[in-house]
């Protein structure tokens, strides 16, 4: 891992959806370093998901540029994975087949290697016992963990998380967050860096090294905060609560 080096950069990015005159994002300048966990907060409908889709090449900026590992990003890249609010598993495939899916076109790997890798990540999210089950047999929280395994199976350098806990009940959300935190502590695991969008300020401060505050119409980054609290973080700590207040003030 090339710690300290830059993984992704957005330069003067502006975005409107094709066919629409409404500018969603403007003047977006940001970077994500290797080994960094960046959180993005902002009110609902500001453009956080849009920003993540620009970071993974699913959308193209109307103006400006996105660079990934120093090269302009011109479309989806195998080394960038995204996890959405909903697991989006294919109901007719088993859990193992769902996790293996992103590897389907890889010619440099044998079927056994693909299966081994998929099993490794299913095991990591505690679901290796469900490899031959179908999505309908799993709870929402378990399906979201399968989606995490599927996002990791390509060994991404950058993992983009779009409110991954927002559709889960609070206890399941907390369990998934702990899993993400543990994964983050284990440097032998991918990804190198994570960008997580959330409307939960607590979640973002719990996990991030740096928090970007997105606000306005069109939206832009109005503030950037470093979170220098020791990990694992305690949500009841005074310093933690102070940071939550600070972000709330910036958003209000
Ligand atoms: P957030 O993730 O912060 O809730 P989004 O990025 O989903 O915000 O949406 C930002 C704005 O872009 C919203 O006003 C939304 O209505 C608009 N938008 C989202 N997707 C599309 C689309 N496919 N076409 C046109 N407008 C869209």
């Amino acid at each position: 891992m090339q710690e300290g080096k830059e993984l992704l950069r957005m330069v003067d990015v502006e975005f409107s959806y094709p066919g629409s005159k409404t500018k969603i994002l403007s003047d977006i300048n940001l970077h994500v370093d290797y080994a960094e966990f960046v959180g993005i907060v902002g009110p609902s409908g500001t453009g956080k998901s849009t920003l993540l889709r620009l970071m993974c090449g699913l959308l193209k900026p109307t103006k400006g540029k996105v660079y990934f590992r120093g090269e302009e990003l011109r479309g989806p890249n195998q080394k960038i994975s995204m996890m959405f609010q909903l697991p989006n598993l294919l109901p007719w495939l088993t859990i193992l087949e769902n996790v293996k899916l992103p590897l389907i076109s890889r010619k440099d790997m044998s079927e056994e290697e693909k299966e081994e890798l998929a099993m490794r990540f299913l095991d990591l999210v505690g679901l290796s016992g469900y490899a031959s089950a179908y999505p309908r047999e799993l709870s929402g929280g378990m399906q979201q963990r399968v989606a995490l395994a599927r996002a990791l199976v390509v060994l991404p350098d950058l993992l983009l998380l779009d409110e991954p806990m927002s559709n889960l009940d609070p206890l399941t959300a907390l369990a998934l967050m702990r899993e993400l935190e543990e994964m983050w502590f284990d440097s032998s695991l991918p990804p190198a860096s994570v960008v997580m969008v959330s409307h939960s300020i607590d979640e973002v401060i719990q996990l991030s090294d740096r928090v970007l505050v997105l606000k306005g119409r069109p939206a832009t980054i109005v503030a950037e905060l470093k979170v220098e609290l020791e990990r694992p973080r305690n949500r009841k700590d005074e310093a933690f609560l102070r940071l939550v207040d600070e972000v709330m003030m910036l958003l209000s």
Side-chain angles (χ1 to χ4, degrees), residues 2 20 33 160 186 206:
Q2 298 159 271
S20 159
D33 285 340
L160 305 174
D186 187 341
Q206 180 86 32

Side-chain angles (χ1 to χ4, degrees), residues 194-206:
V194 180
V195 177
M196 183 174 87
V197 152
S198 177
H199 59 256
S200 160
I201 299 170
D202 277 31
E203 252 171 32
V204 163
I205 293 180
Q206 180 86 32

Side-chain angles (χ1 to χ4, degrees), residues 16-130:
S16 308
Y17 278 96
S20 159
K21 287 202 175 86
T22 313
K23 223 189 270 178
I24 308 287
L25 297 165
S26 119
D27 197 21
I28 301 287
N29 286 286
L30 61 81
H31 67 97
V32 179
D33 285 340
Y34 275 89
E36 203 183 18
F37 198 121
V38 176
I40 299 176
V41 288
S44 197
T46 324
K48 302 183 296 297
S49 297
T50 305
L51 185 59
L52 282 194
R53 282 172 170 78
L54 286 160
M55 284 183 184
C56 69
L58 279 176
L59 293 174
K60 274 192 178 155
T62 315
K63 278 191 190 154
K65 291 209 161 82
V66 182
Y67 296 94
F68 179 64
R69 297 197 298 200
E71 283 181 25
E72 194 180 341
L73 187 67
R74 294 178 189 276
N77 184 302
Q78 269 278 335
K79 286 287 170 192
I80 308 176
S81 266
M82 180 132 164
M83 185 175 162
F84 299 91
Q85 291 172 21
L86 293 171
N88 302 317
L89 304 179
L90 297 180
W92 59 88
L93 295 182
T94 66
I95 295 305
L96 183 64
E97 285 163 349
N98 266 285
V99 176
K100 250 184 358 184
L101 205 57
L103 303 174
I104 202 159
S105 59
R106 289 277 294 268
K107 303 252 187 307
D108 57 329
M109 291 176 85
S110 67
E111 265 318 297
E112 291 73 44
E113 282 171 324
K114 290 179 187 177
E115 192 139 325
E116 204 176 297
L117 199 58
M119 277 308 287
R120 180 180 156 211
F121 287 106
L122 257 187
D123 197 27
L124 178 77
V125 299
L127 291 174
S128 51
Y130 291 83

Side-chain angles (χ1 to χ4, degrees), residues 7 16 52 115-116 130 135 149 163 172 202 230 244 248 252:
L7 187 61
S16 308
L52 282 194
E115 192 139 325
E116 204 176 297
Y130 291 83
E163 308 233 19
T172 313
D202 277 31
E230 250 177 64
V244 172
M248 293 256 251
S252 60

